[in-house]
Amino acid sequence: MSTAVTDISSAKGNLEPEIRRIFEKQKAHALTLRRSTAAERIEKLKRLKQAVLDRTEDIYKACANDFRKHPAEVDLTEILPVVMEINDAIRHVKKWMKNKKVRPTLMMLGTSSYVRYEPKGTSLIISPWNYPLNLTFCPLASAIAAGNTAVLKPSEMTPHCAQIIQEITAEVFDEQDVTTVQGAVEETQLLLAQPWDHIFFTGSPAVGRIVMDAAAKNLTSVTLELGGKSPVIVDKSANVKKAARNIAWGKFANNGQTCIAPDHIYVHEDVRDTFVDEVKSALEQMFGELTKIGDNPDYCRIVNAKHYARLKGILDDAQQQGAQVAAGGLHDESQDFLSPTLVTGVSGEMRIMQEEIFGPLMPILTYTDTQAVIDDINSREKPLALYIFSKDRDNIETLLNNTTAGGSCINTAMMQYLHGNLPFGGVNNSGIGAAHGAYGFKEFSHERAVVEDKFAQSQLFHPPYNDFTRKLIKLTMKYFV
Ligand code: NAD
């Protein structure tokens, strides 16, 4: 295997031609990959999986250096999802690649038709910092399974993880197959200027717009895995203890830096106080005494000073406008540390209710009227996730029927991501397209429609339009009209 370290930093000032060179090399190779077999793709997937497993210790170190993430959480949220995605592709790619026969319609009697799954060709995968390996290698598994080349552009905010990603791809793949380009805005925009066959972007809605704009210039297809404010509803029939535990885990794992983390919680007035107490008690069960959580290695950090300042600013803004801290609020700028913080008395004008929080702040809103909750949710951008905690079937159906979201869980949180047989994605502002398993494979594939005409009966409808053809067309129309 040739070493495929694309060290873009050494190409400073010369970035554009270097990116163009990589693109052209992959474009030429993509034609060869069109004919790649399931066995060849499986072999690549196996090598990727092995390389990730071989570098586990280095991945722990990189995640610790980037945001003090506990190795257990690295196993659960970085390595395991990647291995599961690769295993799924290895197991099913042969089936996914098979032509799917379709039944002939009446007009098509005498034909044999099917859908062929073809690789789109060259793909660009741009990923965020919050689950750096997971959100780079999972789409890569789909790209490989579908027979594409890929350039990976991990986030510059987690440089240790980006380095590992680059080393793994260099070790496992030829540059013409898969390579990593490190960099920030300038590098990404140069990459986006190339006429890719597909761009798979995971990140914020704001940058998603930039990606879609760039893709539009070449009519490149996109998958956009974006974010936003994911609401949670806890009604008065809910098992409040269980709800609090699930919501606390979803909100504070990875320090709240999860795209599908519960963002803000609508709690029925009758159970509000119990809910607040149960969240505190769930946090104590998970992290011990909350005043000492800063010393607990299970609780990771905000990724950098910029995001710490953003989150502290959101909290200050809420407090200045009359919100109260019901628990937490501890902070240490020198460590980018903010403790799990429950905020009550929030209102719609506060930043905490206007921006995606993406950190350990939990605004709790009290409600009595379900319709008011529905109206508030529908007045906002469509969320990536919406969670319902309830034992009332009618209420669950009312909430599902009157809202939309990329995905939802009932009486749990975040599980829609881990379920490999479900499509994972958003809707409009929270995303376009879907990831995972067969859905990810399709995202990187072109579904080519093929009709094989056995008896040439379509010629019966060709000119000249004499009595016979006109009668035949009329007869056909009569059947349909
Ligand atoms: P981001 O949009 O700032 O960055 C994502 C990627 O885009 C990075 O690789 C970055 O280098 C690049 N980028 C940043 N600015 C750019 C620009 N102006 N032009 C071109 N490229 C640019 O997102 P982030 O801060 O890394 O991640 C947080 C966001 O991602 C949140 O909104 C979160 O909800 C979302 N997210 C979504 C999912 C999902 O699966 N739907 C998963 C994780 C994170």
Side-chain angles (χ1 to χ4, degrees), residues 33 47 51 54 132 143-144 151 188 200 204 300 335 343 357 366-368 402 440 447 461 471:
L33 287 191
R47 279 195 274 127
D54 289 347
I144 293 172
V151 167
T188 315
F200 190 108
S204 60
C300 85
Q335 288 191 48
V343 188
I357 297 171
T366 310
Y367 80 93
T368 49
N402 290 286
E447 292 182 292
F461 297 97
K471 266 189 195 145

Side-chain angles (χ1 to χ4, degrees), residues 66-69 73 77-78 128-132 135 158 249-262 299-308 310-311 336 356-361 414:
D66 283 335
F67 43 178
R68 234 187 82 171
K69 195 163 169 167
E73 215 162 286
T77 64
E78 299 280 3
W129 52 264
N130 60 328
Y131 292 98
L135 297 171
T158 37
W249 174 74
K251 181 77 185 182
F252 300 111
N254 210 35
N255 221 301
Q257 303 166 120
T258 304
C259 56
I260 48 169
Y299 187 68
C300 85
R301 290 293 180 265
I302 294 162
V303 70
N304 57 27
K306 184 177 144 208
H307 279 280
Y308 169 83
R310 179 183 64 79
L311 285 157
D336 299 325
E356 178 180 5
I357 297 171
F358 218 60
L361 306 175
M414 314 235 282

Side-chain angles (χ1 to χ4, degrees), residues 235 237 370 374 388 390-402:
D235 77 8
S237 74
T370 307
I374 290 169
I388 302 167
S390 173
K391 287 186 201 147
D392 180 339
R393 198 66 240 170
D394 289 345
N395 208 21
I396 293 169
E397 289 304 324
T398 301
L399 287 163
L400 287 175
N401 285 336
N402 290 286

Side-chain angles (χ1 to χ4, degrees), residues 1 18 67 137 161 170 173 183 191 215 229 245-246 248 297 307 373-374 378 382 416 469:
M1 194 62 40
E18 176 60 359
F67 43 178
F137 286 147
C161 290
F173 301 106
L191 284 164
K229 288 183 84 60
R245 173 83 195 203
N246 277 292
H307 279 280
V373 172
I374 290 169
N378 288 337
K382 294 171 188 166
Q416 78 277 31
T469 45

